[in-house]
Amino acid sequence: MKSKAIVWFRNDLRLLDNETLVEAAANFDIVPVYVFDPRHYGVTNLGFTKAGSFKTKFLIETLVQLITDLQKIGSNLVIRIGKPEILIPEIANEINAVKVYASKEVTYDEIIIEAALEATLFKNGIALKLIWQQTLFHQEDVPWPIKQVPDVFTQFRKEAENTVKVRALFQKPTKLPVVTNIELGELPTLSQLELKEVVNDKRAVLDFEGGEAAANKRLDNYFWKKDLLKSYKETRNGLVGADYSSKLSPWLAVGAISPKTIYYEVKKYEKVRENNDSTYWLIFELLWRDFFKFMAKKHGQKIFLENGISSLDLSLKNDLDIFELWKNGKTEDEFINANMNELRMSGFMSNRGRQIVASYLIHQLKVNWTWGAAWFEHSLIDYDPCSNWLNWAYIAGVGNDPRNGREFNIESQRLQHDPKGEYVALWN
């Protein structure tokens, strides 16, 4: 009989291409665990919760799917609410687990939690194995140690593309042991997490549904059924509708699909259908995502601070009244308001819209950019800490932009991306 191990699910809520799950299951009888951390749902000093309703609803739906998928192969998911660095050692003691497996995170708070967890487990004679599976390019395969990862994306991309091969996918487990002798617990509702219920807005670009099955369905629709990948580069800066971009980011954010899965589907599409600038461009966007993960690992807490990874003094204001006007879509600019209304009412905003409203808050309104990043953290269904905070820092000029920030001309952006005013009319 095998010893027991915990698989602590984090932002890897899938069965396909889950190295943590595969390695643990090969060596132990595993008990899958997910912990809702109350620190994600606490109210910030700006008056809103860190995680908002759209993202949390999507997370709960993803966990419902994960439970179903685990049950199909004989297992289940233990659900707890509390601090994982306290609860996981308690569960390990309860079931006599000798090891805990988890995906390795790259952001400051998560690394602190990993260290605290490891210290407690070590005292109890239990090992912690953290496995890197956040990115397309593996940490061990890139041509630099973390502290020497290039701070300019173009250099990162060119050097990585020339030297790194994307690792193979890990196949889904087909059978796992039954979870016994422990209370499973229940998924919390939004109200139990003190969040408002989500009202679906009929104007939303997509009715996002959490879970690995929904992720694969979206991938199949976008690539194969609708054949939209071939024109992705031309359409990706759109504003209205489901199909101007892949919209895979919410599933990527919770790990309901892996970047490697998307990469190999692109490669398959290139063989079967077409290989062009657009097919490469989706991989290019995955590489930006990788870049920001490596930057977060390299620079730690700095990415969340007003000076970012630079020593530039931005002299921005902590003006709550102006910030509230921006947040609630009540500025003097109707194009900005349309984007902010879409975000507030649907949990989503186009990539182009995100850049424009960030530029407006920073360069026109002169308000602290970290406030804007915090509002995105609360609001976005596809919130990813690395991409979110480093994109904001990039536009503010305290991130990875060699040109010290990006200020957009809002009127020319509106004329370019919404010449007929359809988007403004839709969301105002």
Side-chain angles (χ1 to χ4, degrees), residues 356-372:
I356 294 165
V357 301
S359 173
Y360 187 81
L361 183 73
I362 296 161
H363 300 296
Q364 263 77 41
L365 301 180
K366 307 288 184 190
V367 170
N368 188 334
W369 71 266
T370 66
W371 289 17

Side-chain angles (χ1 to χ4, degrees), residues 4 31-34 76-81 87 90-91 94-95 179-187:
K4 282 190 176 177
V31 176
V33 173
Y34 185 86
N76 217 317
L77 187 65
V78 175
I79 304 287
R80 294 290 184 269
I81 300 174
L87 289 178
E90 290 176 359
I91 297 168
E94 186 181 343
I95 63 170
V179 175
T180 56
N181 301 324
I182 185 168
E183 191 181 327
L184 292 172
E186 291 183 356
L187 286 170

Side-chain angles (χ1 to χ4, degrees), residues 52-332:
S53 297
F54 286 107
K55 167 84 179 188
T56 307
K57 174 178 178 279
F58 188 85
L59 169 65
I60 292 167
E61 289 168 355
T62 302
L63 288 164
V64 168
Q65 181 68 59
L66 180 62
I67 290 167
T68 300
D69 293 343
L70 285 168
Q71 287 172 343
K72 282 177 186 169
I73 55 173
S75 185
N76 217 317
L77 187 65
V78 175
I79 304 287
R80 294 290 184 269
I81 300 174
K83 294 179 177 178
E85 67 271 33
I86 295 170
L87 289 178
I88 286 170
E90 290 176 359
I91 297 168
N93 287 333
E94 186 181 343
I95 63 170
N96 295 318
V98 297
K99 199 163 186 176
V100 173
Y101 284 84
S103 290
K104 189 172 181 56
E105 290 287 340
V106 296
T107 35
Y108 182 78
D109 287 350
E110 283 67 31
I111 290 170
I112 296 291
I113 289 167
E114 287 172 2
L117 172 62
E118 187 165 34
T120 305
L121 289 172
F122 181 76
K123 283 181 199 162
N124 297 340
I126 300 165
L128 175 65
K129 176 78 180 278
L130 296 170
I131 293 176
W132 182 283
Q133 57 172 0
Q134 285 260 336
T135 52
L136 194 58
F137 290 158
H138 199 285
Q139 178 187 3
E140 290 169 11
D141 300 342
V142 296
W144 341 264
I146 284 290
K147 289 299 174 194
Q148 289 169 24
V149 175
D151 280 330
V152 176
F153 171 69
T154 303
Q155 187 188 347
F156 169 88
R157 176 181 64 80
K158 286 180 176 174
E159 290 183 20
E161 279 183 329
N162 286 334
T163 55
V164 186
K165 188 176 186 301
V166 177
R167 294 185 176 191
L169 296 177
F170 288 85
Q171 295 308 308
K172 291 181 185 180
T174 53
K175 187 152 182 57
L176 291 174
V178 177
V179 175
T180 56
N181 301 324
I182 185 168
E183 191 181 327
L184 292 172
E186 291 183 356
L187 286 170
T189 61
L190 289 177
S191 59
Q192 284 168 333
L193 296 168
E194 296 184 28
L195 295 172
K196 290 177 184 170
E197 290 301 322
V198 168
V199 178
N200 288 334
D201 195 299
K202 63 182 187 298
R203 297 169 292 180
V205 292
L206 203 64
D207 185 12
F208 290 105
E209 181 192 349
E212 187 171 5
N216 292 325
K217 185 180 175 185
R218 176 62 188 172
L219 190 70
D220 186 52
N221 268 336
Y222 189 80
F223 282 32
W224 302 103
K225 287 198 170 77
K226 295 185 177 181
D227 201 18
L228 294 164
L229 181 58
K230 66 184 178 189
S231 54
Y232 169 75
K233 191 178 179 187
E234 290 74 49
T235 64
R236 75 188 195 285
N237 283 324
L239 299 173
V240 178
D243 295 333
Y244 60 78
S245 65
S246 73
K247 308 288 191 306
L248 290 167
S249 54
W251 293 283
L252 269 171
V254 294
I257 194 168
S258 78
K260 283 159 58 190
T261 298
I262 297 169
Y263 172 85
Y264 280 114
E265 201 70 12
V266 172
K267 290 296 165 191
K268 182 178 165 189
Y269 181 94
E270 288 178 337
K271 274 186 188 168
V272 174
R273 294 256 172 104
E274 193 170 340
N275 181 344
N276 63 16
D277 281 354
S278 282
T279 58
Y280 170 71
W281 211 261
L282 194 65
I283 294 170
F284 179 85
E285 298 291 1
L286 289 174
L287 292 181
W288 264 110
R289 182 179 175 276
D290 266 25
F291 175 64
F292 285 145
K293 296 279 184 196
F294 281 101
M295 284 298 99
K297 183 86 171 98
K298 177 180 178 178
H299 292 290
Q301 194 179 16
K302 281 185 181 177
I303 73 167
F304 302 103
L305 304 179
E306 201 174 339
N307 288 343
I309 65 173
S310 79
S311 53
L312 201 65
D313 183 10
L314 295 177
S315 301
L316 296 173
K317 300 175 293 195
N318 290 342
D319 190 318
L320 199 56
D321 291 337
I322 296 175
F323 174 70
E324 287 289 326
L325 293 174
W326 174 85
K327 177 168 86 77
N328 293 308
K330 297 191 185 314
T331 73
E332 293 174 358

